[in-house]
Amino acid sequence: MVDTPMVAMHGVQKWFGDLHVLQDIEQVVASGEVVVVIGPSGGGKSTLCRAINRLETIDEGVIEIDGQKLPSEGKALARLRADVGMVFQSFNLFAHKTVLENVTVGPIKVRGHKKADADKRAHELLERVGVEAQAAKLPAQLSGGQQQRVAIARSLAMDPKVMLFDEPTSALDPEMIKEVLDTMVDLAKGGMTMIVVTHEMGFARTAADRVLFMSEGRIVEENTPEEFFTNPRTDRAKDFLGKIIKH
């Protein structure tokens, strides 16, 4: 019995006008696997990430989450989206709600959890990501790193099957990056299925099971972090790594 992959993409194509931003994407992510997507800007990484929970529609191909084909719209899509946590560059927290309310709103409204249960779980998750002391504050009263950790807790509160991270540290000051990456490393160690678009090569080396290198809409290379960083096979990857690792 072969386990159903958590995420499967077959023949995925996406155009923006004449620009072919996702080209023939064939990719399977196993349950509990941490896949890090790296590559030059404009290579299609964020589009790939956003296509997995249908924030971007695709033009051809199939995407499945835990064996279920992505519905195109309506309640079925909302249900499936609830299984796919997403953390963006911008934290997208509700400015007028407290940290606690930000984390409980999904479980109460979408999952139908009782407020007391949602609150209890939210406090546990906020403690897990290290911001429990901020539960009564509004997002504006928090640092960027704290807000991003709240955003992670908010996604986890939905008990997602897979977590997508789209450059979660790119809007943060350098000293805040580590606290967010540490939270993500803990998640990875805990067995969460994760697809992470990032420029943080240290995270890719320590937390990834596999690295996908994307350029010009294609997955050009994939390998273990060890192999990819020490022995890239394609000129495009060698060139990219040469530029970032020198600095």
Side-chain angles (χ1 to χ4, degrees), residues 64-229:
E64 293 178 346
I65 307 288
D66 199 15
Q68 299 286 315
K69 200 172 154 188
L70 264 186
S72 49
E73 59 213 20
K75 283 206 168 123
L77 179 60
R79 269 200 301 278
L80 196 76
R81 271 209 187 126
D83 288 336
V84 182
M86 180 117 193
V87 178
F88 303 86
Q89 295 177 29
S90 53
F91 321 122
N92 293 4
L93 299 172
F94 295 116
H96 60 289
K97 290 187 185 294
T98 64
V99 164
L100 185 70
E101 288 165 343
N102 265 283
V103 179
T104 58
V105 64
I108 292 168
K109 290 259 197 313
V110 180
R111 296 282 197 213
H113 293 179
K114 292 193 177 74
K115 185 180 182 303
D117 296 340
D119 283 356
K120 181 171 180 286
R121 173 91 171 120
H123 281 295
E124 287 167 5
L125 289 169
L126 289 168
E127 186 165 342
R128 181 173 167 189
V129 300
V131 288
E132 214 273 321
Q134 319 298 329
K137 291 184 179 172
L138 292 171
Q141 296 171 280
L142 274 56
S143 72
Q146 288 170 328
Q147 289 188 59
Q148 193 60 294
R149 286 183 287 160
V150 172
I152 292 171
R154 179 183 57 182
S155 282
L156 290 174
M158 298 295 286
D159 291 319
K161 293 178 174 179
V162 57
M163 288 275 284
L164 308 175
F165 294 85
D166 187 8
E167 299 195 12
T169 58
S170 64
L172 298 177
D173 294 335
E175 67 269 25
M176 292 172 192
I177 290 175
K178 183 178 184 302
E179 64 192 48
V180 172
L181 292 178
D182 285 348
T183 301
M184 291 166 61
V185 169
D186 286 345
L187 270 186
K189 286 179 180 157
M192 175 60 75
T193 309
M194 294 164 61
I195 299 172
V196 183
V197 173
T198 187
H199 295 293
E200 298 295 332
M201 298 302 138
F203 175 81
R205 280 174 181 261
T206 51
D209 295 306
R210 252 186 321 140
V211 173
L212 305 184
F213 176 71
M214 272 190 91
S215 179
E216 295 174 0
R218 290 182 183 278
I219 296 170
V220 179
E221 192 165 335
E222 62 176 291
N223 217 325
T224 62
E226 179 62 27
E227 274 297 305
F228 179 77
F229 286 108

Side-chain angles (χ1 to χ4, degrees), residues 38-60:
I38 63 173
S41 292
K45 306 183 300 293
S46 287
T47 306
L48 180 75
C49 198
R50 292 165 68 86
I52 294 169
N53 75 345
R54 220 182 159 80
L55 284 174
E56 295 282 2
T57 55
I58 58 173
D59 295 310
E60 288 176 23

